[in-house]
Amino acid sequence: MIWVAFVFAAISLYVSYRAMNQDVAAPDAQEPKAPVIEEGKAIGVVFGRAKISSGTVYWWGDVRSVEIRK
């Protein structure tokens, strides 16, 4: 049964080597796109169980970015 561990280790090493040597460009950082509330739309309140077909986001959090300096 030890040979099964060796086979899995070899496969793991091969896959990690292939993933490490791919020439894929890193994606550029993008500004987060927060949803916008429509003016005049009612604020929904759910009591109990309900299926919400179109939810509304009222608050999206802190979306600013800070540069990392070393």
Side-chain angles (χ1 to χ4, degrees):
M1 294 306 279
I2 192 80
W3 61 272
V4 175
F6 286 122
V7 170
F8 281 119
I11 293 171
S12 175
L13 286 172
Y14 174 73
V15 169
S16 63
Y17 177 76
R18 293 277 297 174
M20 188 172 49
N21 290 327
Q22 290 182 352
D23 293 330
V24 178
D28 294 333
Q30 299 176 355
E31 288 292 322
K33 297 177 183 174
V36 180
I37 298 175
E38 298 173 15
E39 186 175 342
K41 187 174 183 181
I43 296 176
V45 179
V46 177
F47 295 102
R49 289 183 164 189
K51 183 175 181 179
I52 301 172
S53 60
S54 64
T56 303
V57 177
Y58 304 112
W59 183 75
W60 189 257
D62 189 11
V63 295
R64 65 186 167 98
S65 61
V66 178
E67 182 181 348
I68 298 173
R69 296 183 184 178
K70 291 188 176 183

